[in-house]
Structures are given as structure tokens and as C-alpha cells.
């Protein structure tokens, strides 16, 4: 039985989980999210590193995890070196899918939709200079879209009018959008609707799933233990969230207290 831990500040990493699960259904998944410190984009770097290291290390030991996915763009740009130093198993991060977007765009005008922290990171600038220097990359950093994705998974309605207002600067300008936050694929349909469907939308979920599959190697198990979910804070609209989790083959949320369980 192989086990994969997927970690995020909130439910956004579920978009990555779905891509990995589609390729590797016979792996046990432990999904952990640090709702007590949500959103991670507004945390000091030292606190983000400390929280991530504590929670991930604890669950890796508890469940004898074989591989960790940090399914958060903000955290991935900060905590991967620390986790790789303290863990002896592979740690996979996520980065904005700027390289494929630069190839797909016909107008060579790309929209990068991410958190305020991610759009300003030096790492993001490096990705753009390496893979999209021949493109114009327009950026929107939005915490509100992160909140919308959280609301959707908890059974609340998303305002298309509000989304249209946020994305208005890109209307009739970009032809390809990079979803640079793992929360955003959860509202892909709403984003497409807000932009009248006249864009190509890319994210890094499938690439991450391919990487996990390569690192895990052959999976021979034909049965497995239930997929678990942990949260560091009492959930809002917990029943609706658990319904969404059940549809994704995940057990109801268990309490995960920081700094102690």
C-alpha cells in the first residue's frame, strides 16, 4: 500500500488530488489543510515554513507516507527546500503553468491569475523570463477568488457578476489564462463563464499527477485503506464540505490541532 500526503492551506489542493487520483486510484491519500492559518499568502514566511513543516512531518510519520505534494503555489515557492531537508521521501510542489500557456497562446498575451503573493514572487518573475519572455503577461492577484473556491466546496453560490468585475481588465485582451493557485480550478467553469468562454485555461494539476506517478513507480495494490482528510480549524458549512469530499472518495474531515494533535 502506497500513501500520498497532499497539503494545502485550504481546499484548493483538492483540484490536484483529483488529477492524481484519476491516474492512481489504488493509492491511499491523506489530504491535510491548514484552515486555521488560511490564506497562506498573507502569512509571514517564517510562520508559513514552521506550520507547514510541523503538520507535514507529523502526518508523514503517523501514516508512513511515501510521497508529499505541497498543493499550494504560495507555499511551494517558500517551503520546499525546508521539507526536502527534513524528509527522506520525495516532495513535489506546484508552480504556475506559464510554460505551456506561452506555447498555447496565439496572441502572445497571457493572463496569470494567482494570489497577490504569487504574482509578486521572484520565482514567478523567473518563470516568465525563462518561458514567456516573448509574451505579454498580465497579472491579477486575488484573494477573493480563493475565498470563492472555498465557498463553492462548502455549498455556497458563486457570483458570476463579481467574477466578471474582477476579470474585466482581461476581457478581449488575453487568449490564455494560467490558474496560478490550486483553488482556482475548482471554479474553472465560473471563470470561463465570466469571460464568455473565449479563452484557453491551463493549470499544473495534470503535470503534477504525472510527476507523482513517475516518482511512486509501480502501484500493485488492488485494495486500500480509506482516504483521509485533516483540517486544523473547525469547518464552516462542514456538512456541505463533507458531501463534496465524499464525492471525491475522501472521508469526512478529522480535527488537526496546531501545534499539537
Amino acid at each position: 500500500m502506497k500513501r500520498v500526503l497532499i497539503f494545502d492551506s485550504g481546499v484548493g489542493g483538492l483540484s490536484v488530488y483529483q488529477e492524481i487520483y484519476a491516474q492512481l486510484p489504488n493509492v491511499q491519500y491523506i489530504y491535510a489543510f491548514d484552515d486555521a492559518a488560511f490564506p497562506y499568502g498573507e502569512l509571514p514566511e517564517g510562520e508559513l515554513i514552521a506550520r507547514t513543516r510541523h503538520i507535514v512531518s507529523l502526518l508523514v510519520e503517523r501514516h508512513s507516507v511515501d510521497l508529499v505534494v505541497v498543493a499550494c503555489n504560495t507555499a511551494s515557492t517558500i517551503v520546499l527546500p525546508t521539507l526536502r531537508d527534513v524528509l527522506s521521501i520525495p516532495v513535489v510542489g506546484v508552480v504556475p503553468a506559464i510554460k505551456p500557456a506561452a506555447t498555447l497562446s496565439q496572441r502572445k498575451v497571457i493572463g496569470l491569475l494567482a494570489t497577490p503573493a504569487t504574482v509578486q514572487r521572484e520565482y514567478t518573475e523567473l518563470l516568465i523570463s525563462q518561458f514567456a519572455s516573448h509574451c505579454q503577461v498580465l497579472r491579477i492577484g486575488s484573494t477573493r477568488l480563493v475565498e470563492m473556491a472555498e465557498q463553492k466546496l462548502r455549498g455556497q453560490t458563486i457570483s458570476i457578476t463579481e467574477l466578471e468585475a474582477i476579470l474585466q481588465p482581461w476581457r478581449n485582451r488575453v487568449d490564455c489564462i494560467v490558474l496560478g493557485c490550486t483553488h482556482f480550478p475548482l471554479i474553472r467553469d465560473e471563470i470561463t463563464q465570466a469571460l464568455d468562454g473565449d479563452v484557453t485555461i491551463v493549470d499544473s494539476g495534470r503535470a503534477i499527477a504525472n510527476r507523482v506517478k513517475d516518482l511512486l513507480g509501480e502501484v500493485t495494490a488492488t485494495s486500500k485503506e480509506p482516504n483521509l482528510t485533516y483540517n486544523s480549524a473547525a469547518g464552516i458549512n462542514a456538512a456541505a464540505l463533507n458531501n463534496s469530499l465524499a464525492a471525491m472518495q475522501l472521508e469526512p474531515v478529522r480535527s488537526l490541532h496546531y501545534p499539537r494533535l
Side-chain angles (χ1 to χ4, degrees):
M1 176 58 57
K2 294 192 176 182
R3 297 177 178 87
V4 172
L5 170 63
I6 301 174
F7 175 80
D8 190 11
S9 62
V11 299
L14 291 170
S15 66
V16 176
Y17 159 77
Q18 288 176 304
E19 293 281 2
I20 301 172
Y21 181 86
Q23 294 198 35
L24 295 166
N26 292 324
V27 169
Q28 184 188 21
Y29 296 94
I30 298 95
Y31 184 84
F33 60 113
D34 188 14
D35 227 15
F38 174 85
Y40 264 21
E42 298 177 10
L43 283 185
E45 288 192 9
E47 183 178 352
L48 192 156
I49 291 170
R51 295 187 72 94
T52 301
R53 176 176 174 170
H54 173 82
I55 294 171
V56 169
S57 297
L58 190 151
L59 291 175
V60 164
E61 182 177 358
R62 171 180 286 188
H63 293 287
S64 300
V65 168
D66 297 287
L67 182 146
V68 173
V69 179
V70 179
C72 172
N73 292 80
T74 298
S76 291
T77 61
I78 297 171
V79 305
L80 291 186
T82 298
L83 288 178
R84 287 168 176 160
D85 282 344
V86 300
L87 299 176
S88 60
I89 57 175
V91 181
V92 178
V94 296
V95 297
I98 290 171
K99 182 178 180 180
T103 301
L104 291 168
S105 176
Q106 298 299 310
R107 298 179 192 169
K108 301 306 175 186
V109 183
I110 299 167
L112 172 59
L113 189 60
T115 64
T118 297
V119 298
Q120 297 173 11
R121 294 270 182 231
E122 183 178 344
Y123 189 79
T124 302
E125 295 288 352
L126 181 61
L127 288 173
I128 293 171
S129 65
Q130 285 183 325
F131 303 118
S133 59
H134 59 297
C135 299
Q136 182 181 10
V137 181
L138 307 179
R139 311 180 204 193
I140 293 177
S142 175
T143 300
R144 179 62 187 134
L145 264 67
V146 179
E147 295 168 348
M148 286 182 173
E150 294 272 333
Q151 290 171 352
K152 180 178 179 180
L153 264 291
R154 289 173 168 84
Q156 300 175 34
T157 302
I158 303 300
S159 170
I160 299 300
T161 301
E162 184 179 3
L163 257 180
E164 288 174 342
I166 293 171
L167 300 175
Q168 178 59 37
W170 288 355
R171 187 173 292 278
N172 300 320
R173 296 187 67 189
V174 304
D175 65 349
C176 190
I177 291 177
V178 178
L179 301 184
C181 172
T182 55
H183 277 77
F184 297 167
L186 300 174
I187 54 171
R188 179 191 296 266
D189 292 344
E190 289 83 356
I191 291 170
T192 301
Q193 183 179 346
L195 288 169
D196 295 329
D198 191 26
V199 291
T200 299
I201 297 179
V202 296
D203 65 76
S204 55
R206 184 165 297 179
I208 296 303
N210 291 338
R211 179 63 176 156
V212 169
K213 187 175 183 180
D214 288 343
L215 288 170
L216 276 186
E218 185 177 3
V219 177
T220 57
T222 56
S223 62
K224 64 183 182 69
E225 299 171 24
N227 299 321
L228 307 176
T229 312
Y230 289 96
N231 184 12
S232 63
I236 301 172
N237 304 114
L241 176 58
N242 283 334
N243 285 338
S244 295
L245 293 174
M248 298 180 194
Q249 308 302 314
L250 283 160
E251 293 280 291
V253 173
R254 301 180 179 200
S255 180
L256 173 72
H257 298 296
Y258 180 90
R260 294 185 182 87
L261 280 177

